[in-house]
Amino acid sequence: MLLVVMDVLLLLVVLLAVCCPVHGTWDSCGGSCGRPIAFRYGKLRIVGGTDAQPGVWPWIVSIEAPLEGGMAHICGGSLIRSQWVLTSAQCFIEARNITMWQVVVGATRLTQLGPKAQVRNIKRLLVHQHYSNVTQRNDIALLELEQPVQCNSYVQLACVPDASLRVSELTECYVSGWGARIARAGGSAYVLQEAQVHLIDAGVCNSSGWYRGAIHTHNICAGYPQGGIDTCQGDSGGPLVCQDKSADYFWLVGLTSWGMGCARAKKPGVYTSTQHFYNWILEQMGLHTAVATTARPQPAFASTPVQRPRPTPIEVGRFTPCPFPVQKLRDLLTRLQEFVHFLKGGNV
Ligand code: 4AZ
């Protein structure tokens, strides 16, 4: 029995490697993004802020710096390719030697990483050239990891939208992070916290009594007019994601940036809008092509009946047409791996 399963596994691995390579190399993250697969979030009931279940936000990373002989969580970030993390520029204002910093993926509890977590060193930090630490404009940065991470049930890519996504129409939005006070009610220290938030109209957010003009067009406000649930210190760089109501994936629409205090009325969280930096992201990763410029803001779904951008990991779709339902194969592969592990007597 075990041999048959092993054969099927081998066949699937060969099939994926031969038919769906990413830039010529085997990449366990290519082909899919924005879909948690370890946890069926369709059945999830989020009430305010609370501890996140493992695998619910599989793209979130903890960016850590050396402190007192150990590593300390500094900021959140999102995995957008197997070797790239999107985060905020402000996280690195006081960074000295970035090669000593680390990125943790696949974790929920930072004090107890667990077998699914992967730790990587940082090869390169790319901060937006026009980032201002006074106004927090262009609060965006990329980290290139020394080694790619392996995608699995607990590690998946986030989908970065281009200019064609109508973000303001998305109604199911969530923030997550290991920061100071997100979801204070009921949250425990070092366990990833999550909260549902509402996108707040930029006009309202910029009005008197709110942020009075400090909100830039490249920002998104999210939270609640009455406050109470919000991101806070240590959540910076982390994801603001929104789910398409009728779809099974999330878009990474924002990066936690700033706010006046945390959870205060009329002072919601302010996020860097990722879609405004889509081309910047491509350029930094060395993926910007003539196609990319001329194709924007055309969504890549010309023949799709529902006028909605198709979620593909940034740039992967354009370069690697894959004839197989690659995510289904990967899901099957993950389940088979878990089954083999079970047959060998391990816990799933
Ligand atoms: C921070 O200092 C921070 N309430 C992050 C988010 C918010 C405020 C501050 C939003 O990292």
Side-chain angles (χ1 to χ4, degrees):
M1 175 65 173
L2 194 55
L3 280 178
V4 176
V5 176
M6 296 286 234
D7 279 352
V8 175
L9 260 177
L10 193 66
L11 186 71
L12 277 172
V13 169
V14 171
L15 209 61
L16 277 169
V18 169
C19 300
C20 308
V22 175
H23 298 278
T25 55
W26 164 252
D27 183 338
S28 60
C29 299
S32 162
C33 64
R35 291 180 65 232
I37 55 177
F39 192 85
R40 297 294 161 199
Y41 51 85
K43 298 185 187 108
L44 176 68
R45 218 170 60 102
I46 297 174
V47 186
T50 183
D51 290 3
Q53 293 297 313
V56 182
W57 312 112
W59 41 81
I60 194 167
V61 312
S62 163
I63 299 171
E64 306 190 346
L67 185 80
E68 293 166 4
M71 297 302 286
H73 169 85
I74 303 292
C75 270
S78 298
L79 192 69
I80 59 165
R81 281 175 71 93
S82 59
Q83 214 164 341
W84 290 93
V85 167
L86 191 60
T87 183
S88 292
Q90 62 175 281
C91 302
F92 309 99
I93 292 174
E94 288 171 21
R96 307 224 178 280
N97 186 358
I98 200 73
T99 60
M100 303 288 284
W101 289 40
Q102 285 183 333
V103 166
V104 179
V105 301
T108 308
R109 190 182 291 268
L110 290 183
T111 47
Q112 213 183 310
L113 291 185
K116 301 285 180 181
Q118 299 166 54
V119 182
R120 292 290 183 273
N121 292 328
I122 296 167
K123 183 159 126 192
R124 248 189 329 156
L125 162 65
L126 304 168
V127 170
H128 197 285
Q129 58 275 27
H130 300 305
Y131 166 64
S132 158
N133 64 4
V134 179
T135 62
Q136 296 302 337
R137 281 197 183 184
N138 305 302
D139 187 13
I140 191 166
L142 275 162
L143 295 175
E144 186 177 9
L145 307 179
E146 241 173 46
Q147 300 289 331
V149 298
Q150 299 300 312
C151 280
N152 57 40
S153 314
Y154 298 88
V155 178
Q156 291 285 308
L157 305 183
C159 311
V160 181
D162 66 19
S164 65
L165 183 71
R166 291 198 286 257
V167 170
S168 61
E169 291 174 10
L170 302 175
T171 52
E172 302 267 324
C173 300
Y174 301 88
V175 286
S176 46
W178 287 277
R181 253 184 307 204
I182 175 177
R184 252 275 157 89
S188 18
Y190 302 113
V191 177
L192 180 63
Q193 301 291 297
E194 65 184 15
Q196 185 163 14
V197 288
H198 294 154
L199 301 186
I200 294 170
D201 177 76
V204 172
C205 202
N206 245 340
S207 62
S208 62
W210 293 63
Y211 281 119
R212 281 177 288 130
I215 304 303
H216 187 248
T217 49
H218 295 175
N219 286 140
I220 294 173
C221 292
Y224 295 87
Q226 71 276 23
I229 295 172
D230 194 9
T231 45
C232 200
Q233 204 174 11
D235 293 318
S236 298
L240 164 66
V241 293
C242 297
Q243 188 182 4
D244 213 299
K245 255 233 154 81
S246 54
D248 63 348
Y249 52 82
F250 291 89
W251 289 107
L252 175 64
V253 303
L255 313 175
T256 303
S257 181
W258 63 279
M260 266 188 192
C262 302
R264 287 170 36 188
K266 297 185 182 175
K267 299 290 181 290
V270 183
Y271 299 80
T272 302
S273 168
T274 54
Q275 70 176 175
H276 284 96
F277 293 96
Y278 186 85
N279 286 337
W280 179 85
I281 295 167
L282 292 188
E283 274 165 29
Q284 301 306 307
M285 297 197 304
L287 293 172
H288 209 272
T289 62
V291 181
T293 347
T294 51
R296 306 294 152 203
Q298 282 291 317
F301 55 73
S303 59
T304 319
V306 182
Q307 291 291 289
R308 202 168 48 219
R310 200 160 30 106
T312 49
I314 199 155
E315 278 297 300
V316 168
R318 192 170 294 138
F319 288 111
T320 56
C322 178
F324 290 97
V326 68
Q327 188 56 47
K328 291 222 159 48
L329 279 176
R330 276 206 184 94
D331 289 357
L332 183 59
L333 196 59
T334 306
R335 297 228 163 82
L336 278 169
Q337 278 170 332
E338 286 171 358
F339 186 51
V340 169
H341 188 60
F342 169 76
L343 288 179
K344 284 176 165 171
N347 293 322
V348 178

